[in-house]
Amino acid sequence: MKNVIMSVDTGIDDAMAIYLLSKYINIDYIIATSGNSYLNNTFNNTNFVVKSLNLDIPVYKGSENPLIRPHFEEKYHGEYGLADYRAENIIKKENGIVKLIDSLNKDKYTILSTGPLTDIALALSVEPSISDNIEKIIIMGGAFHLNEYGNGNINNAEFNIYYDPEAAKIVFKNNINEYIIGLDVTMDPKFSMDNNDFNKIKNNNIPGIIIKLSEYLILKHKRLYFHDPIAALCLINENLFKFIDADVSVDNNGITALKNASGNINKKIAIDLDYNGFKSYLYDKIFNE
Ligand code: RIB
Ligand code: CA
């Protein structure tokens, strides 16, 4: 596959998504947006992750805040957004949203979004015609109340959508080929790691940063959910997922719901993932290879 862009708010599971995807696919560049932490932190963290994994992927800076709301800190992923790491401050002036618009003006791209949708919404608002060149977009976001896991992880909403609901509204309104991976799938405990699982892999020959990030979340929150790597998995092999075709609504509190589809809505909402596929394409690829 060629022409792949990631939009991230690194973040522990964003880091794992970068690691996983890079094992399968060439990533052209990454845009860091604010979300899990301030933009400076998510940008520095992304550069740090890329360097620690010996990858050669350019990283650009996106938005400092949601479209019309202030940034807020959740600190779920640590003081500076990446466990106990304090990444080196990197200065880079080229703007990620301008870069995204330029790329999509020239060629077709697939986008994997594992953070708030702010940068993609901005690019689409500034230059709506670029939507024709988005081959597909895979979005980690939303909680659709399809089962007991899809009830939200922050005030009944899912974090990425809650952080910037207006951006999500803009992206969902576009008739782009969208694959939406929400908490209904990613918070199913069988797709997560607990302390017992961690003890089985902690001495494997995998990058130290991956071990440290996993350990941090397990010690702090008892369980590591693979939200963002599961979205990356959808890019690697979408046949492992079951989807329904539906439209999506977002309210002002970031709460997502399915709407009946009329006409060609081009949206696929994940409702299930094959366990053996998850294990071999994601879990073992990260921890047992
Ligand atoms: O709700 C899950 C999302 O928010 C993921 O992208 C993860 O990185 C988190 O902070
Ligand atoms: Ca994320």
Side-chain angles (χ1 to χ4, degrees), residues 240-260:
L240 299 174
F241 291 78
K242 255 196 212 139
F243 296 100
I244 49 171
D245 293 320
D247 209 347
V248 172
S249 67
V250 183
D251 76 8
N252 291 339
N253 300 313
I255 295 176
T256 43
L258 298 182
K259 288 200 293 192
N260 278 341

Side-chain angles (χ1 to χ4, degrees), residues 13-14 36 77 114 140 153 158-160 183 227-228:
D13 59 330
D14 302 75
N36 282 321
H77 297 247
T114 63
M140 192 291 122
N153 54 5
E158 182 282 322
F159 177 81
N160 289 337
L183 301 182
H227 307 288
D228 295 343

